[in-house]
Amino acid sequence: MKRNQNQWFYFIIFCLLLILSSCGKKLSEESTLKRVEQSDQIVWGVKNDTRLFGLMNIKTGQPEGFDIDIARALTKEILGDEKKASFVEVISKTRIPLLKNGNIDTIIATMTITPERAKQVDFSDAYYHAGQTLLVKKGSKIHSIKDLNEKTTVLAVKGSASTVNIRKAAPLAKVLDLESYAECFTALKSNQGDAITTDNTILMGISEENPGYVLTGGNFTKEPYGIAVKKGQEEFVKKLNQALKNIRKNGEYERIYKKWFAKILRMMQ
Ligand code: GLU
């Protein structure tokens, strides 16, 4: 008799655990696509301090740039109206935490698809191809990563792929990690560092505005940008990829690309 009671006890505990674990699973797997459709808006995590990609226009109170326009075009594809895109500021190190906490539905913020990040989030297909390089003051003795040694300090941003890559590419150089690219540029101007390292795209934005500073040495990595969503949101990733295909087909992608990069491409020729 006692044995029978024990068996029941364990059986009930087992059932309770089963129910609890399936509840937990449901909560963590809440569908981003459903949420987006129900709320009729997509909350995008975007940069606010990165010229050309995501920069706050203080007059309009809206961020502007390539990432922002692509986000709007994709929102139009998915929800029928680009006005259904809303934007929340992220910086490199807050991108993944804000996504995981549910503060944003997705990230479009100069974010490289890396194997390390792909363990934490899922990515769309690449929508832009950048590469990491250096920005220095005109006349600097640094011409490429080969010139970075124990006497040089490179400025990078916390949470970026760039700060990881530079440690491998120039292991002798000192690396000073700051919060944002704006801070990096202030530090470069005040000689706290000899070069800034990150994607050519971001550095071109700084150089375009500050002609005394130039890109040097060419790209030493490949940085394919992806749109990140929470892990396990296959439906939403599929929607994003389809929307990306559509805007490439209907010319919207090219229009946005030219809007932001035509001048820079001309400058580089
Ligand atoms: N693309 C690189 C990254 O995802 C550098 C740019 C950035 O910090 O956003 O980390």
Side-chain angles (χ1 to χ4, degrees), residues 12 24 37 59 68 83 97 117 145 210 221-222 244 249 255 267:
I12 289 166
E37 282 170 351
K59 278 188 205 141
I68 311 295
K83 291 196 192 79
R117 287 174 179 159
I145 48 166
N210 303 277
T221 68
K222 288 195 170 120
L244 272 172
K249 233 192 239 161
R255 188 191 67 75
M267 261 168 60

Side-chain angles (χ1 to χ4, degrees), residues 62-105:
Q62 285 294 315
E64 291 173 354
F66 181 75
D67 280 346
I68 311 295
D69 283 354
I70 294 290
R72 287 208 168 99
L74 297 180
T75 304
K76 188 174 173 194
E77 288 294 322
I78 296 170
L79 295 178
D81 186 348
E82 65 167 48
K83 291 196 192 79
K84 292 179 179 171
S86 72
F87 301 107
V88 168
E89 180 181 5
V90 297
I91 55 172
S92 301
K93 72 170 186 187
T94 61
R95 285 180 288 213
I96 293 181
L98 286 175
L99 182 68
K100 282 190 173 169
N101 291 346
N103 294 57
I104 50 180
D105 296 315

